[in-house]
Every structure is written in structure tokens, then in C-alpha cells.
Amino acid sequence: NASVMGAAGCCGLQLYNFGQTISIPFFDDNWRPTSFYSKIKYNRGGGMHTLCLLDIKVKEPDFEAMKKNRIVYLPPRYMSVNCASEQLIEAEEKEAGGAYHPSETLCVGMARLGQKDQCIIAGTLEELKDQDFGEPLHCMVICGEVHDLELMFLQKFMVEGSKFKANDHEDHDGELTKAEDNDEI
């Protein structure tokens, strides 16, 4: 975890603007926890970014085999940014607290940070759920208040035609614009 926390800075977001880090577990039919939601809301309320560590299932026991007194492990599973995006959208629908807006809030999906084939893609949750991030390991950031320099850096990773609204956690009069529409940049 410590290494991904430092490596996440390669996307251009300033590390000192991060709030509490969260973990997003795999949902299943009987367990769909959203305990991470309040931390995202708290972070974004203070303008802070949220680093999301995505679930890893390695050496998980097969409970059906255990019932038969056999020790069998399920194949490893690694949560993708796509899966996390879908679960975050579901969490916002369930909680309805406005912690983020799936079609507007700027997020950054990252895979294999520090490797030659690392992948960084920025966009909304609705946009990220359909992107190809490739092999694991993945993590993501839900952006809080984004500085103009951060937006400039993120432009090279942005989904083409992204519909994000910068700093959508604040109450503004009028529409928010992307960095490329801002005369100061």
C-alpha cells in the first residue's frame, strides 16, 4: 500500500491534496458494503482527493470444498478500475448523499504503476467503467478540488470528449469548465 500511495502521484495530482485512503471490496450477492462512502464524502467536502485501493482476492478458500473437508483455493481475482467504477456508481445510487457524481466527477484510473506498461486514464466514473486498463494491479483516485496545474497534467490522460466537471464538489453558479476551456492555462 505504501508504494502505491507514492506512485499515484505520477498521474499529476499533488500528493499533499489527498485525504483518507479507502479500500473498495468486491461486492457479491449477499454483501455490498458502502462503508467507504462516508470517507469519500468527507474528503471531497474538504476538497481532497481520495485514493481508492481495489480489492485483491488471493488464496481465498473454496467454502463448498471446505464443507467436504477439502482444502481448495479459488483462483486469484484482482479488482479492475472498471469493476470499482461500477460499484462506486451503485454506492452513490444507494447512499444518495452526493459524495460524487458518476457522470461529472473527475476520477483517475491507474494500472501497473511504476511498470513500463503502466496505464493512466482520467474521466468520469461512467467513462472509466468502459476503458481498457489491461492487466492488474489497479487503483483509482476520486478527485476533490483540482488545481489548474493538476488539470493541465491530467489532460494527456483524459478520455477523449470527457464530460467531467472540474471541482464539482463545490457549489457554483453556472457551468464548470475543463482546463482546456480555461483562459488562464
Side-chain angles (χ1 to χ4, degrees), residues 15-111:
L15 292 178
Y16 56 84
N17 287 337
F18 279 73
Q20 297 179 61
T21 297
I22 65 159
S23 295
I24 301 176
F26 277 113
F27 288 0
D28 66 27
D29 293 338
N30 301 314
W31 192 61
R32 304 179 97 65
T34 57
S35 54
F36 53 79
Y37 185 87
S38 61
K39 288 185 180 179
I40 297 170
K41 187 170 184 172
Y42 176 83
N43 286 348
R44 286 187 34 87
M48 298 176 286
H49 309 312
T50 305
L51 176 61
C52 305
L53 304 178
L54 309 185
D55 203 357
I56 298 172
K57 298 278 189 194
V58 179
K59 208 167 182 180
E60 292 286 313
D62 182 335
F63 294 110
E64 291 303 315
M66 286 176 73
K67 290 178 187 176
K68 299 173 186 172
N69 282 337
R70 294 186 348 202
I71 298 175
V72 176
Y73 297 103
L74 298 170
R77 293 189 313 153
Y78 305 92
M79 184 180 285
S80 65
V81 170
N82 315 82
C83 178
S85 296
E86 290 173 0
Q87 289 187 191
L88 285 162
I89 291 167
E90 181 180 324
E92 180 58 52
E93 289 169 355
K94 176 183 174 185
E95 298 292 328
Y100 46 88
H101 308 284
S103 62
E104 296 178 356
T105 300
L106 181 59
C107 298
V108 183
M110 297 170 276

Side-chain angles (χ1 to χ4, degrees), residues 4 45 48 81 95 108 115 125 140 144 147 165-166:
V4 74
M48 298 176 286
V81 170
E95 298 292 328
V108 183
Q115 303 298 313
L125 290 171
M140 66 186 302
H147 187 273
K165 292 186 178 181

Side-chain angles (χ1 to χ4, degrees), residues 75-179:
R77 293 189 313 153
Y78 305 92
M79 184 180 285
S80 65
V81 170
N82 315 82
C83 178
S85 296
E86 290 173 0
Q87 289 187 191
L88 285 162
I89 291 167
E90 181 180 324
E92 180 58 52
E93 289 169 355
K94 176 183 174 185
E95 298 292 328
Y100 46 88
H101 308 284
S103 62
E104 296 178 356
T105 300
L106 181 59
C107 298
V108 183
M110 297 170 276
R112 298 170 309 287
L113 291 177
Q115 303 298 313
K116 290 180 183 178
D117 66 339
Q118 77 178 10
C119 176
I120 302 171
I121 303 174
T124 68
L125 290 171
E126 292 286 354
E127 294 162 347
L128 293 183
K129 73 178 186 177
D130 298 323
Q131 301 302 309
D132 181 7
F133 289 89
E135 296 297 312
L137 295 168
H138 294 193
C139 66
M140 66 186 302
V141 175
I142 301 170
C143 296
E145 185 173 332
V146 183
H147 187 273
D148 290 345
L149 292 175
E150 291 175 307
L151 278 175
M152 280 178 49
F153 198 89
L154 284 171
Q155 286 300 320
K156 64 182 169 183
F157 305 122
M158 200 66 64
V159 170
E160 187 174 332
S162 180
K163 304 285 187 218
F164 81 90
K165 292 186 178 181
N167 303 323
D168 70 326
H169 68 287
E170 300 175 352
D171 292 324
H172 288 281
D173 296 322
E175 189 170 311
L176 300 167
T177 59
K178 293 193 322 186

